[in-house]
Structures are given as C-alpha cells and as structure tokens.
Amino acid sequence: MEQLTVDVRGIQISFTMTNPDANESIVFLHGFTGSWRSWEPVIKLLPKTINYISIDLMGHGSTEVSSNPERYRMNEQLLDLEEFFSLIQLTSFSLVGYSMGGRIALAYALGHPQQVKNLVLESTSPGLKTNEEQQLRRQADDQLADRIEEDGLESFIDFWENIPLFESQKSLSIEKQHEIRSERLAQSALGLANSLRGMGTGQQPSYWSKLDELDIPVYLVTGEYDTKYTEIADEMVKKLKDGSHLQVSSVGHAIHVENPVQFATIIMEQLIDGN
C-alpha cells in the first residue's frame, strides 16, 4: 500500500489509501504503539473494489510528532480527523478502530453521525466511569510516559510486550512476533509518551452515557482470552440501539494481529457482504 502524507492543522499526517475512486470506503484506526502497517494483513484479504484508508494517529507511525501533549487530546484528534476527511473529500464511510483507535472512532461517530455508516470497535472501552478512576489512570499513564522518556523506547517495549494483555501474542510465530516488535520499536519515544499524557484512557471523556445516541450498526469485537474487554463489550452492547458483540476464539486483545483472516471475515460479513 502506498504511504501518503497531508498537512492537517499544521501537522503532517501519514496515511494509506487503496482505491480513491471506489464508491465505498472503510477507515481503520490503529491502537497504541501501532501504525497503518498493523492493518495491512487484514486489508490484503479484502476485496479490491473498496477504498481502504488507514491513518497513523498523532504520535505514531510516520505522522509528525508534536512536542505539546495538549495536541494529543481527544478533541484535537477529532478535529484532525474532521479536517483530514474534508481534505480527501470523504463524506461517508465505515469506521474500524482498535483499542486506542477504537476510543477515537467511537468519539468521532458520536460527533459525526451523518458521516459514519457502520462502526466496528475492536477491544474498545468507552472510557472510565468515575472521576476517581480517571484520576488514578491519569497518574499511571503519566508515570508510564515518564518511564518511556527516561528509560528509552526499547526498554519500554520490553515491558509493554510482556504485560498480561498481550500474553496470547507469545503463541504467534517467531516471525510474527518479530514483526510486531519491529513496528513498536519504530515508534517515537516522545510521540508515545505524549500520546499517553494527552490521549490515555484517563484523559478522555467517558462515553458510557452517550452510547444510546448511536443510531448506526455498532459491532463490538473481542478475543476469547481478553476477559476484561469482553466484559466491557457485554456491558456496552446492552446500551446500544443497534449493537452486536462478536467474540473470536483462541485470541487475545489484538484480534486483527493474532488472526487477520478471522478479522477480515468479520469485516467482509458485517460491512461488505451485508451492504
């Protein structure tokens, strides 16, 4: 996939686009420490007749890194996406987001219901429910951001790939594990640190009370081994007007990484064949 850049509110945003002349478009937003590259195995399995757009979010991949943590906040990310879609003249699309990217996708769909046709949220939380939870999480994310800058990127990645959330990835092939690690190591220490400070789960607004405002189909996708996000999805689906919870067996948090074939099948069945 060809990598492109566009100036969005003074920041060079990196993205890929497969078929700009297509009638249908699907936009992919990656998770923390990821980039557009993490979606490539999935997109390669999908029909070529659709336009697939994958964006490097602020502080990640090849997108320009801002030194100001405030530039990473949710409201800023949403303004970036709004201008980005305007610049590429995209007015209607399905939106797929994973983890951090899922939180941004959910917020964008709530704010732009006229643009988003369908929403796929992979291993995504609508945020934390109480001010106390948010404050504790902000403190934890600030400490982790400091650790990235003080100890360096490689030391952080050594820690990050060994947290329980990614335990199931150790069952992947050595080649795949190396590919995941390489993508993480290609990140910017400043970008990741500021992403935590500005866009960590404790910083974003809670969207639990707004889930019933979504009038579009929302597909919640979680992995069998990811009990935390499976429980969150079970609670979310009860609040959605048109929500479905799809659980994938034998995978953890990053379904699209651990089983791209199954994830591509979900995209095919829910967003392409059914439309």
Side-chain angles (χ1 to χ4, degrees):
M1 294 190 293
E2 182 184 4
Q3 191 171 357
L4 307 166
T5 59
V6 63
D7 185 291
V8 176
R9 303 173 64 235
I11 294 290
Q12 290 295 314
I13 300 290
S14 169
F15 69 103
T16 63
M17 185 186 304
T18 63
N19 187 2
D21 296 324
N23 292 325
E24 295 288 333
S25 296
I26 301 177
V27 177
F28 294 86
L29 303 181
H30 63 77
F32 182 65
T33 75
S35 71
W36 67 264
R37 295 184 185 279
S38 64
W39 295 112
E40 194 170 14
V42 172
I43 292 173
K44 284 182 175 179
L45 296 169
L46 296 172
K48 304 296 189 288
T49 53
I50 291 175
N51 186 24
Y52 305 105
I53 299 160
S54 184
I55 306 166
D56 281 349
L57 295 167
M58 178 67 71
H60 290 77
S62 299
T63 284
E64 185 179 346
V65 173
S66 173
S67 60
N68 180 9
E70 296 296 317
R71 188 64 177 76
Y72 294 70
R73 290 192 182 276
M74 179 65 84
N75 64 312
E76 296 288 338
Q77 304 259 10
L78 299 181
L79 289 171
D80 284 346
L81 285 178
E82 185 176 23
E83 180 158 327
F84 173 80
F85 294 134
S86 176
L87 288 168
I88 66 169
Q89 299 181 328
L90 193 63
T91 58
S92 178
F93 50 88
S94 293
L95 188 54
V96 180
Y98 160 64
S99 199
M100 179 191 77
R103 292 189 281 115
I104 297 172
L106 172 59
Y108 193 85
L110 284 165
H112 301 80
Q114 74 286 356
Q115 274 189 303
V116 182
K117 295 170 55 181
N118 302 278
L119 184 62
V120 176
L121 301 177
E122 176 191 1
S123 306
T124 295
S125 163
L128 299 170
K129 295 179 179 178
T130 68
N131 290 333
E132 182 181 10
E133 287 177 301
Q134 290 174 336
Q135 183 178 1
L136 289 172
R137 182 59 182 267
R138 283 196 296 269
Q139 292 173 351
D141 284 343
D142 285 344
Q143 291 173 358
L144 195 54
D146 291 341
R147 175 176 180 169
I148 295 172
E149 293 183 327
E150 291 168 5
D151 297 344
L153 183 62
E154 186 168 4
S155 174
F156 168 70
I157 297 304
D158 288 342
F159 156 77
W160 188 248
E161 64 188 7
N162 283 293
I163 65 173
L165 199 64
F166 301 121
E167 182 65 28
S168 57
Q169 293 185 9
K170 294 179 181 179
S171 300
L172 298 172
S173 68
I174 297 300
E175 180 183 8
K176 187 62 179 179
Q177 290 184 58
H178 176 73
E179 180 184 314
I180 296 168
R181 180 175 173 83
S182 296
E183 182 181 30
R184 288 169 172 162
L185 286 171
Q187 305 295 337
S188 154
L190 176 61
L192 294 186
N194 278 344
S195 182
L196 285 169
R197 294 184 180 113
M199 248 301 292
T201 308
Q203 288 286 8
Q204 76 161 64
S206 174
Y207 297 115
W208 280 104
S209 64
K210 293 181 176 294
L211 293 175
D212 63 356
E213 296 177 11
L214 289 167
D215 290 320
I216 58 173
V218 181
Y219 305 96
L220 309 175
V221 187
T222 61
E224 176 188 2
Y225 303 145
D226 188 1
T227 54
K228 174 183 175 180
Y229 282 85
T230 293
E231 290 173 1
I232 289 172
D234 283 339
E235 189 173 354
M236 287 176 69
V237 79
K238 295 174 185 175
K239 300 177 181 296
L240 292 164
K241 292 177 182 176
D242 187 3
S244 306
H245 179 194
L246 312 171
Q247 188 179 68
V248 181
S249 62
S250 304
V251 292
H253 191 62
I255 301 105
H256 72 286
V257 173
E258 296 179 45
N259 193 339
V261 174
Q262 184 58 44
F263 197 85
T265 300
I266 290 171
I267 297 299
M268 281 284 297
E269 292 177 346
Q270 308 303 329
L271 303 188
I272 299 175
D273 290 347
N275 290 283

